[in-house]
Amino acid sequence: MRVNLLWPTGHDPAPTPATHGDAAFHDLGIDSLCAAMARDDPIALAAIHAVLAAPVTDPEVIRHRHAVQADCHAHPDAVRALHRIAVEAGQVKRWKVGPAHQANGKLLLALRPLTDLVALLRRLRAACDRDGHLFDSAGFTDLVATVAAELDDRYLDTLDAQLAAMDFDHGVHLSAGLDADNRVTDLVLHDPVHRRRFGRRTGRTFRVIEEPDPEFDPLTRLRGRAIRVVADVVAEATDHVQDFFHTLRAELSFYLGCLALRERLERAGVPTCLPDPLPAGLRCTGLRDPALCLTDPGPVTGNDLVAEAVTLLVVTGANSGGKTTILRALGAAHVMMQAGMFVLAERFESAVTAGVFTHFVTGEDRTLSHGKLVDELDRMSRTVDRLRPGALLMCNESFSATGERDATSIATPLIEALLAAGVRVVFVTHLYEYARARYLADHPGDLFLRAGHRPDGTRTYRFTPGPPESTSHAVDVYRRVFGRDPHLTTP
């Protein structure tokens, strides 16, 4: 059986799915987002991380996941009941059996977990029968229909009967032949024959000379060969059933993580919405940074943005004005949208990407083996090697380790080449010379945003379109300490 909660029926994941950059989760705060969704469950954390790390580029799949989320939000108790069954299946104990283990023991060790799993299949069927009518999404209705069709009472009763018969309390019923060299061939294990209290033997019989050592007894060895085959089949069947439950648990863990996160944000008054994947462009209202919303007890300012056919977004303005925050908010929104999640905004519509990549300023190399600029260039080189058309690169104060003129000479041809290759770029920068020259060039695919502030320097944390400005936090600090602007002289 296949679980179709993440992928529509008949829709297989792409052979070469899009991927995010290695540092993207850390830089954008996605790691803390995953931890909040998992709530100290390491298995759920791994499942959630895996879904977020494999961005979906097909809008149909994104909408499929939205519908499943809506069912989870509407009927959380029914979904949690399915999840508990899958968790119990993952806790069914399995034993490793060495090659020298006796066939009887190998079969007994294989039968117990399969018997437990079949009981859980019955509980799953009962839960689907009880709650299946509540669901509307294709993901859940397909799951309910699959369970009903493949785990009907007749099938489950047959499984129970076959497992019960494998105790071989009344011996083993098998047949075999001999080849030209008198070697056993065509060994077949038949349904067990239950010994009758009265009666007599029929058919041809023969007696085998008893071997004092059971290990070398010919009938014992023949019986062992037959039982070992059965034990292998039982073990393989156990693997299949447990794999199904493992997949069910992983996919439900992702959706329950979404539910837990959304409930937490709603209690904090943070708006959420299901994003709409577009062929091109970006439009959002009230966009917020998830990492900040999860750590800041106060209200977080949202931002509105309209970027039609924009390939380069340049963000400038004073320090501590929220430039990194809006960068992280944009990057996290794309990661969440392409996982099929909700987004922290009142409205979010955007083109899908071929992966989100980041290049953030970092600290000094503690090994002192190279300088910061070498480190920045090395990380950028490795990032560029993985970029492909349609990817989104988010740069935060890149090339800040060198002077503005040298940094501009590095950034100008690099960004030109990336845009020509079909990569979308968000560039948060202190490079006023570069930003102003680019602004004056008036490229049709460029959009410039400025961090807002009041006349007294107070930050508004809102961004509006406008030409780049060269203000810095140092001017505000000087004004606050000395009570005047630094360019004014004392008579």
Side-chain angles (χ1 to χ4, degrees), residues 76-101:
D77 292 339
V79 177
R80 290 187 178 108
L82 296 176
H83 183 258
R84 283 194 295 271
I85 295 171
V87 169
E88 288 187 41
Q91 295 170 345
V92 170
K93 190 173 182 180
R94 303 282 300 274
W95 290 270
K96 291 184 178 180
V97 179
H101 207 91

mmCIF file of all heavy atoms in Angstrom, residues 76-101:
data_model
loop_
_atom_site.group_PDB
_atom_site.id
_atom_site.type_symbol
_atom_site.label_atom_id
_atom_site.label_comp_id
_atom_site.label_asym_id
_atom_site.label_seq_id
_atom_site.Cartn_x
_atom_site.Cartn_y
_atom_site.Cartn_z
ATOM 1 N N PRO A 76 -8.555 17.363 13.854
ATOM 2 C CA PRO A 76 -7.248 16.984 14.441
ATOM 3 C C PRO A 76 -7.291 15.678 15.225
ATOM 4 O O PRO A 76 -6.322 14.916 15.204
ATOM 5 C CB PRO A 76 -6.913 18.173 15.345
ATOM 6 C CG PRO A 76 -8.227 18.828 15.642
ATOM 7 C CD PRO A 76 -9.060 18.624 14.418
ATOM 8 N N ASP A 77 -8.393 15.401 15.923
ATOM 9 C CA ASP A 77 -8.453 14.181 16.737
ATOM 10 C C ASP A 77 -8.401 12.930 15.864
ATOM 11 O O ASP A 77 -7.739 11.937 16.215
ATOM 12 C CB ASP A 77 -9.723 14.176 17.586
ATOM 13 C CG ASP A 77 -9.705 15.238 18.671
ATOM 14 O OD1 ASP A 77 -8.597 15.694 19.012
ATOM 15 O OD2 ASP A 77 -10.782 15.623 19.139
ATOM 16 N N ALA A 78 -9.081 12.955 14.729
ATOM 17 C CA ALA A 78 -9.074 11.798 13.832
ATOM 18 C C ALA A 78 -7.679 11.574 13.258
ATOM 19 O O ALA A 78 -7.222 10.429 13.140
ATOM 20 C CB ALA A 78 -10.082 12.007 12.705
ATOM 21 N N VAL A 79 -6.985 12.655 12.934
ATOM 22 C CA VAL A 79 -5.630 12.525 12.381
ATOM 23 C C VAL A 79 -4.667 12.032 13.451
ATOM 24 O O VAL A 79 -3.809 11.179 13.191
ATOM 25 C CB VAL A 79 -5.174 13.875 11.807
ATOM 26 C CG1 VAL A 79 -3.743 13.779 11.287
ATOM 27 C CG2 VAL A 79 -6.101 14.316 10.671
ATOM 28 N N ARG A 80 -4.809 12.532 14.660
ATOM 29 C CA ARG A 80 -3.916 12.089 15.741
ATOM 30 C C ARG A 80 -4.147 10.616 16.066
ATOM 31 O O ARG A 80 -3.200 9.909 16.450
ATOM 32 C CB ARG A 80 -4.132 12.955 16.977
ATOM 33 C CG ARG A 80 -3.631 14.394 16.812
ATOM 34 C CD ARG A 80 -3.699 15.169 18.119
ATOM 35 N NE ARG A 80 -3.185 16.523 17.957
ATOM 36 C CZ ARG A 80 -3.943 17.621 17.950
ATOM 37 N NH1 ARG A 80 -5.262 17.512 18.130
ATOM 38 N NH2 ARG A 80 -3.400 18.807 17.787
ATOM 39 N N ALA A 81 -5.363 10.132 15.916
ATOM 40 C CA ALA A 81 -5.634 8.707 16.151
ATOM 41 C C ALA A 81 -4.875 7.838 15.150
ATOM 42 O O ALA A 81 -4.297 6.800 15.514
ATOM 43 C CB ALA A 81 -7.131 8.438 16.068
ATOM 44 N N LEU A 82 -4.862 8.244 13.881
ATOM 45 C CA LEU A 82 -4.094 7.511 12.869
ATOM 46 C C LEU A 82 -2.608 7.561 13.190
ATOM 47 O O LEU A 82 -1.883 6.566 13.036
ATOM 48 C CB LEU A 82 -4.356 8.108 11.492
ATOM 49 C CG LEU A 82 -5.789 8.022 10.955
ATOM 50 C CD1 LEU A 82 -5.888 8.740 9.618
ATOM 51 C CD2 LEU A 82 -6.233 6.576 10.814
ATOM 52 N N HIS A 83 -2.147 8.716 13.641
ATOM 53 C CA HIS A 83 -0.726 8.877 13.957
ATOM 54 C C HIS A 83 -0.317 7.977 15.120
ATOM 55 O O HIS A 83 0.772 7.387 15.112
ATOM 56 C CB HIS A 83 -0.438 10.346 14.277
ATOM 57 C CG HIS A 83 1.000 10.642 14.551
ATOM 58 N ND1 HIS A 83 1.499 10.812 15.836
ATOM 59 C CD2 HIS A 83 2.065 10.764 13.716
ATOM 60 C CE1 HIS A 83 2.794 11.053 15.773
ATOM 61 N NE2 HIS A 83 3.168 11.025 14.506
ATOM 62 N N ARG A 84 -1.168 7.858 16.134
ATOM 63 C CA ARG A 84 -0.834 6.994 17.279
ATOM 64 C C ARG A 84 -0.673 5.542 16.846
ATOM 65 O O ARG A 84 0.218 4.837 17.331
ATOM 66 C CB ARG A 84 -1.921 7.115 18.351
ATOM 67 C CG ARG A 84 -1.842 8.370 19.186
ATOM 68 C CD ARG A 84 -2.712 8.269 20.430
ATOM 69 N NE ARG A 84 -4.124 8.190 20.078
ATOM 70 C CZ ARG A 84 -4.923 9.241 19.923
ATOM 71 N NH1 ARG A 84 -4.440 10.467 20.077
ATOM 72 N NH2 ARG A 84 -6.198 9.090 19.618
ATOM 73 N N ILE A 85 -1.513 5.092 15.937
ATOM 74 C CA ILE A 85 -1.388 3.716 15.448
ATOM 75 C C ILE A 85 -0.059 3.535 14.723
ATOM 76 O O ILE A 85 0.639 2.529 14.909
ATOM 77 C CB ILE A 85 -2.572 3.378 14.513
ATOM 78 C CG1 ILE A 85 -3.884 3.402 15.300
ATOM 79 C CG2 ILE A 85 -2.369 2.016 13.865
ATOM 80 C CD1 ILE A 85 -5.122 3.285 14.426
ATOM 81 N N ALA A 86 0.311 4.506 13.892
ATOM 82 C CA ALA A 86 1.579 4.422 13.168
ATOM 83 C C ALA A 86 2.766 4.457 14.120
ATOM 84 O O ALA A 86 3.772 3.766 13.903
ATOM 85 C CB ALA A 86 1.670 5.562 12.152
ATOM 86 N N VAL A 87 2.666 5.247 15.184
ATOM 87 C CA VAL A 87 3.747 5.303 16.181
ATOM 88 C C VAL A 87 3.896 3.944 16.863
ATOM 89 O O VAL A 87 5.018 3.449 17.049
ATOM 90 C CB VAL A 87 3.466 6.415 17.214
ATOM 91 C CG1 VAL A 87 4.429 6.298 18.399
ATOM 92 C CG2 VAL A 87 3.591 7.785 16.570
ATOM 93 N N GLU A 88 2.793 3.322 17.244
ATOM 94 C CA GLU A 88 2.859 1.997 17.882
ATOM 95 C C GLU A 88 3.485 0.972 16.936
ATOM 96 O O GLU A 88 4.230 0.087 17.382
ATOM 97 C CB GLU A 88 1.461 1.551 18.299
ATOM 98 C CG GLU A 88 0.891 2.314 19.486
ATOM 99 C CD GLU A 88 -0.416 1.723 19.964
ATOM 100 O OE1 GLU A 88 -0.517 0.485 20.002
ATOM 101 O OE2 GLU A 88 -1.337 2.502 20.287
ATOM 102 N N ALA A 89 3.175 1.076 15.656
ATOM 103 C CA ALA A 89 3.771 0.142 14.695
ATOM 104 C C ALA A 89 5.281 0.315 14.631
ATOM 105 O O ALA A 89 6.022 -0.659 14.483
ATOM 106 C CB ALA A 89 3.155 0.354 13.311
ATOM 107 N N GLY A 90 5.743 1.530 14.760
ATOM 108 C CA GLY A 90 7.185 1.761 14.760
ATOM 109 C C GLY A 90 7.875 1.235 15.998
ATOM 110 O O GLY A 90 9.094 1.042 16.002
ATOM 111 N N GLN A 91 7.101 1.010 17.053
ATOM 112 C CA GLN A 91 7.671 0.510 18.307
ATOM 113 C C GLN A 91 7.616 -1.004 18.419
ATOM 114 O O GLN A 91 8.068 -1.559 19.422
ATOM 115 C CB GLN A 91 6.926 1.150 19.478
ATOM 116 C CG GLN A 91 7.115 2.656 19.562
ATOM 117 C CD GLN A 91 6.198 3.314 20.577
ATOM 118 O OE1 GLN A 91 5.216 2.714 21.034
ATOM 119 N NE2 GLN A 91 6.516 4.545 20.940
ATOM 120 N N VAL A 92 7.039 -1.675 17.417
ATOM 121 C CA VAL A 92 7.013 -3.143 17.429
ATOM 122 C C VAL A 92 8.445 -3.659 17.354
ATOM 123 O O VAL A 92 9.203 -3.304 16.458
ATOM 124 C CB VAL A 92 6.177 -3.682 16.251
ATOM 125 C CG1 VAL A 92 6.349 -5.184 16.124
ATOM 126 C CG2 VAL A 92 4.712 -3.321 16.445
ATOM 127 N N LYS A 93 8.804 -4.510 18.289
ATOM 128 C CA LYS A 93 10.187 -4.953 18.403
ATOM 129 C C LYS A 93 10.517 -6.014 17.371
ATOM 130 O O LYS A 93 9.740 -6.933 17.130
ATOM 131 C CB LYS A 93 10.446 -5.490 19.811
ATOM 132 C CG LYS A 93 11.913 -5.759 20.105
ATOM 133 C CD LYS A 93 12.121 -6.130 21.566
ATOM 134 C CE LYS A 93 13.590 -6.361 21.866
ATOM 135 N NZ LYS A 93 13.813 -6.728 23.287
ATOM 136 N N ARG A 94 11.664 -5.837 16.757
ATOM 137 C CA ARG A 94 12.177 -6.834 15.809
ATOM 138 C C ARG A 94 13.475 -7.410 16.364
ATOM 139 O O ARG A 94 14.251 -6.735 17.038
ATOM 140 C CB ARG A 94 12.457 -6.176 14.446
ATOM 141 C CG ARG A 94 11.274 -5.484 13.814
ATOM 142 C CD ARG A 94 10.321 -6.452 13.164
ATOM 143 N NE ARG A 94 10.939 -7.235 12.108
ATOM 144 C CZ ARG A 94 11.044 -6.831 10.840
ATOM 145 N NH1 ARG A 94 10.590 -5.641 10.491
ATOM 146 N NH2 ARG A 94 11.590 -7.620 9.928
ATOM 147 N N TRP A 95 13.743 -8.681 16.043
ATOM 148 C CA TRP A 95 14.956 -9.339 16.508
ATOM 149 C C TRP A 95 15.826 -9.701 15.316
ATOM 150 O O TRP A 95 15.332 -10.169 14.278
ATOM 151 C CB TRP A 95 14.622 -10.615 17.283
ATOM 152 C CG TRP A 95 13.989 -10.368 18.603
ATOM 153 C CD1 TRP A 95 14.604 -10.203 19.808
ATOM 154 C CD2 TRP A 95 12.584 -10.267 18.872
ATOM 155 N NE1 TRP A 95 13.695 -10.005 20.797
ATOM 156 C CE2 TRP A 95 12.436 -10.039 20.257
ATOM 157 C CE3 TRP A 95 11.444 -10.338 18.073
ATOM 158 C CZ2 TRP A 95 11.203 -9.880 20.858
ATOM 159 C CZ3 TRP A 95 10.207 -10.171 18.660
ATOM 160 C CH2 TRP A 95 10.095 -9.949 20.038
ATOM 161 N N LYS A 96 17.099 -9.467 15.488
ATOM 162 C CA LYS A 96 18.041 -9.876 14.452
ATOM 163 C C LYS A 96 18.389 -11.349 14.633
ATOM 164 O O LYS A 96 18.622 -11.809 15.761
ATOM 165 C CB LYS A 96 19.315 -9.033 14.518
ATOM 166 C CG LYS A 96 19.102 -7.581 14.121
ATOM 167 C CD LYS A 96 20.424 -6.823 14.114
ATOM 168 C CE LYS A 96 20.215 -5.376 13.660
ATOM 169 N NZ LYS A 96 21.490 -4.625 13.644
ATOM 170 N N VAL A 97 18.428 -12.066 13.522
ATOM 171 C CA VAL A 97 18.687 -13.503 13.565
ATOM 172 C C VAL A 97 19.914 -13.798 12.727
ATOM 173 O O VAL A 97 19.998 -13.382 11.569
ATOM 174 C CB VAL A 97 17.477 -14.299 13.024
ATOM 175 C CG1 VAL A 97 17.777 -15.780 13.059
ATOM 176 C CG2 VAL A 97 16.234 -13.986 13.848
ATOM 177 N N GLY A 98 20.871 -14.471 13.336
ATOM 178 C CA GLY A 98 22.090 -14.817 12.622
ATOM 179 C C GLY A 98 21.893 -16.004 11.696
ATOM 180 O O GLY A 98 20.914 -16.750 11.804
ATOM 181 N N PRO A 99 22.818 -16.221 10.777
ATOM 182 C CA PRO A 99 22.684 -17.326 9.819
ATOM 183 C C PRO A 99 22.713 -18.698 10.473
ATOM 184 O O PRO A 99 22.198 -19.671 9.920
ATOM 185 C CB PRO A 99 23.880 -17.121 8.877
ATOM 186 C CG PRO A 99 24.858 -16.310 9.668
ATOM 187 C CD PRO A 99 24.037 -15.430 10.552
ATOM 188 N N ALA A 100 23.321 -18.808 11.659
ATOM 189 C CA ALA A 100 23.416 -20.110 12.326
ATOM 190 C C ALA A 100 22.203 -20.406 13.192
ATOM 191 O O ALA A 100 22.119 -21.468 13.809
ATOM 192 C CB ALA A 100 24.686 -20.158 13.184
ATOM 193 N N HIS A 101 21.236 -19.479 13.233
ATOM 194 C CA HIS A 101 20.074 -19.665 14.094
ATOM 195 C C HIS A 101 19.199 -20.800 13.562
ATOM 196 O O HIS A 101 19.045 -20.976 12.358
ATOM 197 C CB HIS A 101 19.266 -18.372 14.147
ATOM 198 C CG HIS A 101 18.481 -18.223 15.412
ATOM 199 N ND1 HIS A 101 18.981 -17.582 16.530
ATOM 200 C CD2 HIS A 101 17.238 -18.635 15.733
ATOM 201 C CE1 HIS A 101 18.072 -17.598 17.470
ATOM 202 N NE2 HIS A 101 16.997 -18.240 17.020
#
